[in-house]
């Protein structure tokens, strides 16, 4: 049985964009779409929108059915999201679930039997509109499956999943990388090129002012980057059009620059323990906050 693509919905515009994008992605993959609402509290009315963009008035929905206003509101949100997804992709099989629990543990559990989790990027206006919500960040750091966060759009419409190349950020250990395999699959299904990018830097202590030695350290680091790319792409399917690129500079900046015009940015992640539990590395954290396109964080488990 094909594992479903799971979308976290809460009635906000970012989650509706995630529903649109995930419906397209489910159609590409030929998998079911599962819409999940999880909450222990009633959401502010100003954040809720129906599939047509009109406000959902929560308390007014709680008629004499013996259910709380939040339960009625949650059901309405997922029903509206399901109708929206069906209108966008009529052939995709859609299921819904309302879970009365905290969103992060609920989505992490759903991710154990999902092909991927799709989440909206939550913003609250101004500069904060560029930043990522705590739920999306926590799920991306701890999920057992790829987590795709919808970046790069701030209206009520999602770009088609089939537009733009897939960009792969190639890390230090590309062999047998889950992120590389995921990027191959995405590029093949979308029938778009795969641009594999490897950033490199020449440490300051290796530079020299001698004119005969000035370029040698940099050349060696660039050659290692090329070798890393070659190792990552060794098992690439013949059907995928490949573009290889090395770039000098911090990996975060290189990948953020590459995200402009891309359909999807794929990065691997080995979650690390910190003071606040599992956390993502600096590169994954940066692209999740600032990418110009959707970001897929693919966990690499030991």
């Amino acid at each position: 049985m094909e594992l479903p693509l799971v979308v976290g919905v809460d009635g906000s515009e970012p989650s509706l964009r995630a529903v649109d994008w995930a419906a397209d992605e489910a159609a590409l993959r030929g998998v079911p779409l599962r819409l999940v609402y999880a909450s222990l509290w009633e959401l502010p009315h100003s954040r809720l929108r129906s599939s047509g963009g009109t406000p959902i008035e929560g308390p007014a929905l709680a008629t004499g059915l013996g259910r709380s206003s939040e339960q009625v509101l949650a059901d309405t949100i997922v029903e509206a999201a399901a109708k929206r997804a069906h209108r966008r992709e009529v052939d995709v099989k859609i299921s819904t679930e309302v879970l009365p629990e905290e969103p992060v543990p609920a989505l992490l559990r759903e991710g154990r039997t999902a092909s991927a989790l799709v989440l909206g990027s939550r913003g609250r206006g101004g500069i904060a509109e560029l930043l990522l919500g705590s739920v999306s960040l926590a799920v991306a750091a701890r999920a057992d499956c790829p987590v795709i966060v919808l970046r790069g759009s701030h209206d009520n419409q999602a770009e088609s999943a089939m537009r733009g190349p897939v960009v792969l950020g190639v890390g230090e250990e590309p062999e047998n990388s889950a992120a590389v395999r995921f990027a191959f699959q995405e590029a093949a299904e979308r029938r778009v090129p795969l641009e594999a990018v490897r950033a490199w830097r020449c440490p300051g202590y290796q530079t020299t002012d001698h004119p005969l030695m000035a370029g040698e350290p940099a050349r060696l680091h660039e050659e290692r980057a090329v070798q890393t790319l070659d190792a990552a792409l060794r098992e690439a399917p013949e059907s995928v059009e490949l573009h290889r690129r090395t770039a000098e500079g911090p990996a975060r900046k290189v990948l953020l620059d590459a995200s402009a015009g891309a359909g999807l940015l794929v990065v691997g992640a080995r979650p690390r323990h910190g003071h606040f539990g599992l956390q993502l590395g600096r590169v994954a954290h940066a692209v999740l906050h600032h990418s110009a396109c959707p970001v897929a964080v693919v966990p690499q488990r030991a």
Side-chain angles (χ1 to χ4, degrees):
M1 184 178 65
E2 293 284 355
L3 295 178
L5 195 65
V6 174
V7 189
V9 299
D10 64 4
S12 64
E13 290 185 0
S15 81
L16 293 179
R17 290 197 296 270
V19 169
D20 290 346
W21 194 93
D24 293 345
E25 182 78 1
L28 278 175
R29 295 181 179 209
V31 300
L33 183 64
R34 180 171 170 82
L35 309 177
V36 176
Y37 174 99
S39 177
L40 285 178
W41 59 86
E42 187 164 337
L43 295 172
H45 303 165
S46 61
R47 286 169 50 196
L48 305 179
R49 296 289 185 273
S50 72
S51 59
T54 57
I56 297 174
E57 298 297 336
L61 299 173
T63 56
L65 300 177
R67 297 188 297 164
S68 69
S69 61
E70 176 162 352
Q71 178 66 47
V72 176
L73 186 61
D75 290 342
T76 302
I77 288 171
V78 294
E79 288 170 8
K83 290 178 181 178
R84 181 180 178 117
H86 180 72
R87 286 197 300 268
R88 191 170 179 102
E89 297 289 349
V90 296
D91 295 327
V92 171
K93 182 179 179 181
I94 301 169
S95 62
T96 63
E97 185 73 38
V98 174
L99 301 171
E101 58 182 297
E102 295 281 2
V104 172
L107 290 170
L108 290 174
R109 188 178 63 253
E110 290 286 330
R112 295 171 191 158
T113 53
S115 58
L117 285 166
V118 181
L119 304 173
S121 172
R122 301 291 299 280
R124 293 174 175 80
I127 295 176
E129 182 67 22
L130 299 174
L131 302 180
L132 193 68
S134 59
V135 170
S136 298
L137 196 60
V139 172
R142 297 164 56 190
D144 293 319
C145 68
V147 176
I148 302 168
V149 177
L150 267 291
R151 297 290 315 168
S153 176
H154 299 290
D155 54 18
N156 198 29
Q157 300 295 321
E159 292 288 345
S160 169
M162 293 177 281
R163 294 184 181 177
V166 172
V167 173
L168 168 65
V170 176
E172 293 291 343
E173 300 175 359
E175 290 86 358
N176 197 31
S177 166
V180 172
R181 294 193 300 271
F182 182 88
F184 287 160
Q185 178 185 4
E186 287 294 309
E189 289 174 342
R190 297 158 185 254
R191 298 181 181 179
V192 299
L194 173 63
E195 180 180 352
V197 181
R198 171 66 180 170
W200 62 274
R201 301 184 74 180
C202 183
Y205 66 83
Q206 293 185 359
T207 61
T208 176
D209 294 330
H210 193 288
L212 297 179
M213 294 290 293
E216 188 66 15
R219 184 181 64 79
L220 292 175
H221 284 282
E222 186 173 13
E223 286 179 355
R224 291 187 189 123
V226 171
Q227 292 169 0
T228 301
L229 278 179
D230 290 342
L233 303 176
R234 188 172 295 138
E235 303 297 328
E238 293 183 1
S239 60
V240 174
E241 178 185 343
L242 293 177
H243 299 276
R244 308 160 189 246
R245 182 163 66 88
T246 62
E248 183 179 9
R252 289 169 286 178
K253 182 181 185 304
V254 168
L255 292 179
L256 289 175
D257 290 344
S259 72
L264 182 68
L265 172 60
V266 179
V267 295
R270 290 183 181 273
R272 58 193 66 181
H273 288 274
H275 295 297
F276 302 101
L278 286 174
Q279 299 173 11
L280 292 169
R282 289 180 296 176
V283 173
H285 194 277
V287 298
L288 280 171
H289 278 84
H290 303 294
S291 173
C293 71
V295 176
V297 177
V298 184
Q300 181 68 42
R301 303 300 179 187

